Amino acid sequence: MKGVISGLLSICLLASFAIPKADAAEKPKEKIKLAEQSHSAILMEQDSGSVLFDKNSHEKLPPASMTKIMTMILIMEAIDKGKISWNDKIRVSEYAASMGGSQIFLEPGEEMRVEDMVKGIAIGSANDASVAMAEHIAGSVDSFVNRMNDKAKELGLNDTFFKNPTGLPAAGHYSSAHDMAIMGKELLKHEEVTKFTGLYEDYLREETEKKFWLVNTNRLVKFYPGVDGLKTGFTNEAKYCLTATANKNGMRVIAVVMGAPSPKDRNAQVTSMLDYAFTQFSTKKLYARHEIVKEVKVQKAEKSKLPVVTSEHISLLLKKGETAKKVKTEVNVEKDLKLPVKKGQQIGSLKIYNGNKLITESPVLASETVKKASWWKLFKRTAGQMSKSS
């Protein structure tokens, strides 16, 4: 009996060495201390959309003038589609001129070029210019706000609802740090916007007696190398907010803080977040925006082959010192595309794998408009193929 007991004790002793202690096996990851003086925050790598740091990023909060990021998205889309041009003159309504808060002091009936309006919005956070552009693009502010909310849905922003194009206080007007980062990512697809958001100072009405000096509300544009946007915000309710972006060594990141107690705290927290991103991570560029990734056959079309292009820059995010595993690319395009296919239309997706891990999935677009071929063209094409086969 003693031998049996002794054997059981030996087995239990061996088992105690074989099973790791729970506190050692379940040791939590070290928590990064960033943005401690803000209500919510997020740090995102631009190309992959990877989140490097998160603090309450889905909490719905007033975004103040960061709202104008969505306003600028719709302006840039209107320019890209040829609906407006940089040199178009916008006539200012009495309502637009009546906006309070940050403004460029537009007067009723004044005409100002789109380019100067965008400067006023991007650099000076001008409420009057935002409303004037909204009215010009959509016919009314209400219609423009509907488009803002439609775009938010298109981008999958579940924490966002807009009541105006300015960010002035309004019940039920809210967003989140996460959604602001996604909006920033979308705006940065229009790379020329940083020509405005990255300016520290400029002038409007320069050749007139009403010359107006613009100074960027985002001071990091001047004081943090690589920062070239995007938008600040402040109201008594929202406190101090900032969606910032910086580009260093080919890597672009977006940092958002909401609800900081002062401009100094806001800027310090964003600076720390940017420092963390650039010291701890790097990117390997894979594709440029609008780069051809595949050609597909389109049945019964004017052109039998359609080049498929990326919708954005695509990069592989790596921790400093980490090397990429076998990077694999998979392009999936819709079967039996319905004609006509319009230029810029999403027709599939591009998946990037690092080893067996899916790291990025991004829309791919039609590089050009493809219409249905006439019956005569189809006849000639078929006849040509038959002659070749014979």
Side-chain angles (χ1 to χ4, degrees), residues 24-295:
E26 298 173 11
K27 184 178 180 181
K29 292 180 180 179
E30 182 182 357
K31 193 170 182 180
I32 304 161
K33 292 185 178 179
L34 292 170
E36 293 185 284
Q37 299 301 311
S38 64
H39 201 92
S40 69
I42 196 168
L43 179 64
M44 181 181 288
E45 192 274 317
Q46 155 76 9
D47 288 357
S48 67
S50 299
V51 175
L52 312 180
F53 170 78
D54 181 290
K55 177 186 176 182
N56 305 326
S57 72
H58 285 282
E59 187 164 352
K60 295 174 182 176
L61 297 166
S65 279
M66 293 194 303
T67 297
K68 296 183 179 87
I69 291 176
M70 180 59 87
T71 301
M72 288 191 284
I73 289 172
L74 297 188
I75 293 170
M76 298 306 293
E77 286 185 348
I79 291 169
D80 282 356
K81 292 174 182 176
K83 293 181 178 179
I84 60 173
S85 74
W86 291 110
N87 288 317
D88 284 353
K89 288 190 175 181
I90 309 300
R91 188 173 179 82
V92 180
S93 70
E94 288 193 18
Y95 180 66
S98 72
M99 290 295 108
S102 301
Q103 56 186 301
I104 53 175
F105 300 98
L106 294 171
E107 296 181 359
E110 181 179 358
E111 292 187 343
M112 182 174 280
R113 291 186 313 133
V114 167
E115 183 173 350
D116 291 330
M117 289 281 192
V118 172
K119 279 183 188 178
I121 297 166
I123 303 171
S125 194
N127 295 324
D128 47 2
S130 298
V131 170
M133 287 302 304
E135 291 176 332
H136 183 78
I137 289 171
S140 71
V141 171
D142 287 345
S143 294
F144 188 84
V145 172
N146 287 338
R147 294 189 191 185
M148 293 172 74
N149 288 315
D150 287 343
K151 187 66 179 181
K153 288 178 184 176
E154 180 188 319
L155 295 173
L157 308 184
N158 297 320
D159 313 323
T160 295
F161 193 81
F162 296 113
K163 289 292 187 76
N164 59 56
T166 60
L168 287 168
H173 184 104
Y174 56 82
S175 190
S176 68
H178 169 271
D179 285 5
M180 291 310 313
I182 298 297
M183 282 182 254
K185 189 176 189 301
E186 183 70 14
L187 179 60
L188 286 164
K189 289 180 180 178
H190 308 276
E191 295 179 4
E192 65 270 38
V193 79
T194 58
K195 182 173 71 175
F196 305 102
T197 60
L199 279 174
Y200 182 68
E201 61 182 343
D202 205 344
Y203 288 91
L204 296 176
R205 311 181 187 94
E206 196 163 2
E207 305 302 324
T208 73
E209 295 177 357
K210 296 180 180 179
K211 185 176 179 180
F212 189 81
W213 184 35
L214 288 169
V215 179
N216 204 317
T217 54
N218 179 9
R219 300 294 188 261
L220 294 183
V221 164
K222 184 174 183 179
F223 297 109
Y224 193 103
V227 170
D228 53 6
L230 279 168
K231 194 70 200 71
T232 59
F234 170 78
T235 63
N236 290 329
E237 182 186 18
K239 302 303 179 188
Y240 292 90
C241 309
L242 173 58
T243 298
T245 185
N247 192 348
K248 278 188 179 181
N249 301 319
M251 181 172 83
R252 180 176 286 282
V253 295
I254 299 167
V256 184
V257 295
M258 300 182 76
S262 71
K264 184 177 179 181
D265 289 317
R266 173 185 68 190
N267 293 346
Q269 289 172 94
V270 168
T271 295
S272 296
M273 291 165 73
L274 296 176
D275 286 345
Y276 172 72
F278 292 122
T279 57
Q280 300 301 310
F281 298 90
S282 63
T283 54
K284 177 182 174 63
K285 288 284 184 185
L286 300 177
Y287 294 100
R289 188 185 183 207
H290 293 162
E291 183 173 340
I292 296 173
V293 290
K294 191 174 185 176
E295 276 194 340

Side-chain angles (χ1 to χ4, degrees), residues 292 295-308 337-341 343 347 366-374 377-378 381 385:
I292 296 173
E295 276 194 340
V296 293
K297 290 183 178 180
V298 186
Q299 297 295 328
K300 300 180 180 179
E302 282 182 332
K303 295 182 179 179
S304 58
K305 289 186 179 180
L306 171 64
V308 180
L337 287 169
K338 292 181 180 179
L339 298 171
V341 176
K343 181 179 180 179
I347 56 173
S367 62
E368 55 189 279
T369 296
V370 179
K371 297 178 182 178
K372 190 173 182 178
S374 66
K377 192 161 191 173
L378 290 173
R381 186 180 296 164
Q385 290 170 349

Side-chain angles (χ1 to χ4, degrees), residues 329-347:
T329 300
E330 183 181 295
V331 182
N332 297 307
V333 178
E334 295 172 22
K335 294 180 180 178
D336 302 322
L337 287 169
K338 292 181 180 179
L339 298 171
V341 176
K342 295 182 179 179
K343 181 179 180 179
Q345 179 181 326
Q346 182 178 340
I347 56 173

